[in-house]
Amino acid sequence: MTTDSAGPETSASRGVDKAAIVIAGLLAAVALVLVYDANQIPATTMYGMGPQVMPVVIAIGLGILALANLIDAVRGHLPARESADPVAVLLILAGLALLIAIIGFGGGFILATTALFVTTSAAFGRRAFVTDLIIGAVLTTVIYLAFDRLLTLSLPAGPLERLL
Amino acid sequence: MDTFAALAHGMAIAVQPMNLLYALIGVFLGTAVGVLPGIGPALTVALLLPVTYKLDPGGSLIMFAGIYYGGMYGGSTTAILINTPGESASMATALEGNKMAKAGRGGPALATAAIGSFVAGTIATIGLAFLSPYLVDIAVRFGPEDYFALMCVAFITVSATFGDSPVRGLTSLFIGLTLGLIGIDKLTGQARLAFGVPELLDGVEVTTLAVGLFAVGEALYVASRRHHSEEKIEAIKGSLWMTREDWKRSWKPWLRGTAFGFPIGALPAGGAEIPTFLSYSTERRLTKYPEQFGKGAIEGVAGPEAANNASAAGTLVPLLTLGLPTSATAAMMLAGFQQYGLNPGPLLFAERPDLVWGLIASLFIANTMLLVLNLPLVGLWVKLLAIPTPWLYAGILVFATMGTIAAKPSVVELSMLAGFGVLGFLMRRFDFPIAPVVVGLILGPIAESQLRRALAISLGDPMTLLQSPISATLLAVALIALVAPFALKGLGRFKANED
Amino acid sequence: MAARTGGRRRTASLLSEGKIKKREPLARPWRGPLKSFCARLIGASVAVTFVVTFLAGAPASAQQLELKVMAPAAPGGGWDQTARAMQQAFVASGVARSVQVTNVAGAGGTVGIAQFVNGAKGDGNQLMVNGFVMVGALAMNKSPVTLEQVTPIARLTEEIQVIVVPAASPIKTAQDLAAALKADIAKVTFAGGSAGGVDHVMAALFAGTVGADAKKVNYIPFSGGGESLAAILGGKVTAGISGLSEYDGQIKSGKLRAIGVSSENRIPGVDIPTFKEQGIDLVLANWRSVVAAPGITPEQKKTLSEAVEKMVKSDSWKDILKQKGWDDAYLPGDAFAEFLKKENVRVTDVLRSVGLVKS
């Protein structure tokens, strides 16, 4: 509901939804992990309720929901999905991975966010890499200067930031 | 000192031209930093506190109040414009606000948020000035069992954010509850679901989850559907300002939001999220235009925004009267006061009335400045949506990650942000609602700790939940709220069958 | 003054809980609009120190120290404030040429100490702030890294703990509370800070000392000073435990009654009896200390110890202590190493007895 729901409702006729079955399976798996983890917690509480009770309660809830999702999946009670563009998604994820790597290796804010800017705009279909690179670099440099220098926010500094 | 005379005296100091300028600068800086997703008002104040050091006590107090209000409003701006609540309290705003923005009604949404904040802030500040001593007596009577009952009411209201399928809504909620379990258990210090990763011991940060699910997830989702180019964001459609109709539909939600926000904010463990969601679900039930909810109903912006601001003024009640900082924001306020040698506590009103009333006057002034600064800016904000989509989303991602980078620049935290982005994308793709996840993460741990505290005090006797009159009343309210819709629906069906 | 720090500490606990970053102006003196101001300030203080050291005839070699101090917590908390205070005093007293403070937050210092032990091994220019809470946190989190691996330098400060009851409570003295504990320990509820923290340890120690079963202490942890204070004021719990300065305002205004403090002797200017003079042998303080990296040479240890000693004796450190309301508890060298060991044993025993640590 935070986004527009995916397309027109043509679900009833589509039969079993494999992806939804995977979701139900994942929920059940999470429930099992919760129970397993709760069993690892030593029971130490003298009064009231221990730390292992709530995980079990939530696990039971997840188990029921896994079942409900499974029923929905088998009945095909799910809204139809439109085809997605995997390249765009992978491009943005690559951008995020680059950002994390650059920050992790001390490459600094400007390099990291410029990389994210360029990959994201490419994901949205832009092919003018050089233009976007320049726009991204200028934008992030201005952001860096405004927030780090003027507003004294602490943003990670790399080789580029030290030049400024 | 007579309350009115004291307030008038504080006001006289606050309206000096220099102080008005400080208020304006404060509001501007606060808005500028507060718009960063993941940087809520508390962090905004924390980051900008050094800027106020250079001024005299009066001036810096006023600038401080301005930063605070600016930071609050900044979070709502991103919630409405780019569906990225800057903090958990503006999540309810994003639900309808962003739908309005996408339909070209971003202007009225921002306006009703700003004016609603102003109205709520003003009423709540008056409440703070006159009702503090009485409210605080009630507030300390709230014990753990009463908070647990309050959480039960809050959980019921979450269902308003579920969308059409209760199964998928509940699934989202339980994902959030599961995430809330991660980390050290507050009551026994035992690690849960940390799998030996030390960084996980402190649990999942609400802002990281919210920014990941909302901003990153949204960007991924929109990019994946780019070739279905039917969805166009329209910057402005119809009036940029609130129409007569908008005013008519906004003023009651403002007042109701204030009525939720101020008292709950005054509770030591009340918080701002519960009143905003209570307000949202109330407006949803009371509206004359139920068909618009989920598609951009102005009531759904006006109410929660007012509740958010009123609760912020509410947290000042225990802070000023007892010296209790009951939220991260209040803790920052406390740090701010201490810069000026002001020690909130039971003796504050008696010992330093000048500074207390100066502060309350500053809050009035800052609130007014917020309106003065932001109403003219509404047009500018809305035009941001006219930026070509590739750059718009690239910019959103840069700002979204920047909040996390500035707040906690660790690889683990950024990886969690990316991971939550993927989760947000998948949930959108399979049509699971997003908001209940964040609500589960916020409310789950509070409800659990309060219940366990209550049971520890009662030595494991669950009847303690019914023996406290406050708790019993709240639980009854929760039960009615839970059962009533089903009962009404059943009745409706029964009637339909008879026809 | 005490009330002032009280607020600060409470702020700090809430901050670390909300994981909020609070910027101290000193954090990066060379950035932003503060740059020129700080440059001037530090320039001036360096000049003054130079003259002072020159007059005192101190050797200039210490000027060469370039230190890194890790605060194993988020900015704003007690450890962070200690690290930044050290930074200020080191530089202002001319003991070190530059001091850089880094924050590694997480799980009561568990994350920070792991990074310190692995990353700073053999480095004679790195220090880490730690304290009472870390002892318990390491034990509870089953940390593979322990305090035995670091090189103890000195204890710096401490804060005395207090037990309070609501003003209307029938409990008037520590002995009344002891009697209540012995009558029915389950019915005596204590409110305080996080599980395994200093407040919790104190509740268990109090019960154990008066002859009740420490294992059965009904301790209820609250998040942040605000919530526990509300629970005490509202009469939801029997008693509350906290640092003395935190409840100072409430005690003075008569809303809370202090039934005892955990110091060895009466604190000057504080009209609260110690537990000892009430016949309960309980002495406890929330201390903070500084340690160096593992595997450093004896010379490196000596240099660092001397630098810390000079820093602690400097006027700027004394000013900071006064300003923050911290009690000087300087304890250097082997005496501190001994103290650390004893506290480790004591805290781990208590936590084991209340079931927080599995043996």
Side-chain angles (χ1 to χ4, degrees), chain B residues 413-483:
Chain B
E413 198 71 20
L414 286 168
S415 305
M416 287 205 317
L417 181 74
F420 292 139
V422 174
L423 180 67
F425 164 67
L426 292 174
M427 291 182 69
R428 282 175 169 81
R429 181 142 173 72
F430 295 101
D431 206 30
F432 287 89
I434 305 288
V437 183
V438 188
V439 177
L441 177 70
I442 298 169
L443 295 186
I446 308 178
E448 187 199 354
S449 334
Q450 299 291 12
L451 174 63
R452 284 168 58 193
R453 279 188 196 120
L455 289 178
I457 292 174
S458 75
L459 306 182
D461 179 10
M463 288 311 286
T464 184
L465 296 175
L466 300 178
Q467 276 155 4
S468 153
I470 302 174
S471 162
T473 315
L474 286 171
L475 284 176
V477 170
L479 192 70
I480 293 167
L482 184 69
V483 176

Side-chain angles (χ1 to χ4, degrees), chain C residues 62-70 83 86-91 93-102 116 123-128 153 290-292 300 303-309 311:
Chain C
Q63 291 277 359
Q64 299 310 309
L65 273 180
E66 287 187 28
L67 294 173
K68 267 177 143 175
V69 181
M70 178 197 280
M86 283 170 66
Q87 174 188 46
Q88 205 176 331
F90 266 132
V91 174
S93 63
V95 174
R97 191 169 55 187
S98 77
V99 179
Q100 193 191 339
V101 173
T102 54
F116 185 72
D123 187 341
N125 289 319
Q126 297 207 31
L127 293 170
M128 182 182 76
I153 298 292
V290 60
V291 297
Q300 284 173 322
T303 314
L304 283 174
S305 302
E306 280 171 6
V308 170
E309 170 135 16
M311 188 274 297

Side-chain angles (χ1 to χ4, degrees), chain B residues 46 188 202 322-323 325 453 456, chain C residues 10 14 19 21 218 221 250 356:
Chain B
T188 58
D202 280 345
L322 290 176
R453 279 188 196 120
Chain C
R10 206 179 303 139
L14 259 171
K19 286 139 208 153
K21 202 168 160 181
N218 197 349
Q250 314 294 333
L356 284 176

Side-chain angles (χ1 to χ4, degrees), chain A residues 40 42-44 46-47 144 148-155 157 161, chain C residues 21 23 28 31-33 142 185-186 215-218 354-356 358:
Chain A
Q40 305 295 304
T44 55
M46 292 297 300
Y47 309 99
Y144 178 80
D148 191 281
R149 296 293 156 84
L150 280 179
L151 295 180
T152 69
L153 242 74
S154 164
L155 296 169
E161 285 80 1
Chain C
K21 202 168 160 181
R23 271 187 74 95
R28 282 184 321 158
R31 295 281 187 88
K142 303 184 194 77
I185 188 162
K215 203 187 302 169
K216 291 191 179 150
V217 160
N218 197 349
V354 295
L356 284 176
K358 290 276 133 188

Side-chain angles (χ1 to χ4, degrees), chain B residues 65 74 223 292 339 377:
Chain B
Q292 283 187 17
Q339 299 301 329
L377 281 181

Side-chain angles (χ1 to χ4, degrees), chain B residues 43 46 53 140-141 143 187-188 198 201-202 205 322-325 331-332 334 338 343 346-347 406 450 453 456-457 459, chain C residues 4 7-8 10-11 14-15 19 21 25 106-107 111 141 186 195 218 220-223 226-227 229-230 234 236 250 253 356:
Chain B
L43 199 50
Y53 288 158
V140 294
R141 274 192 211 137
L187 275 88
T188 58
L201 288 175
D202 280 345
E205 187 103 36
L322 290 176
L324 293 183
M332 282 321 306
L334 185 62
Q338 283 165 341
N343 290 300
L347 305 175
Q450 299 291 12
R453 279 188 196 120
I457 292 174
L459 306 182
Chain C
R4 183 183 164 83
R8 268 177 197 275
R10 206 179 303 139
T11 314
L14 259 171
L15 281 178
K19 286 139 208 153
K21 202 168 160 181
V111 179
N141 296 330
N218 197 349
I220 296 155
F222 283 83
S223 28
E227 262 188 70
L229 183 50
K236 302 287 170 188
Q250 314 294 333
S253 71
L356 284 176

Side-chain angles (χ1 to χ4, degrees), chain A residues 114 117-118 128-141:
Chain A
T114 303
F117 187 93
V118 173
F129 284 114
V130 181
T131 320
D132 285 0
L133 197 67
I134 295 169
I135 293 176
V138 170
L139 177 77
T140 53
T141 309

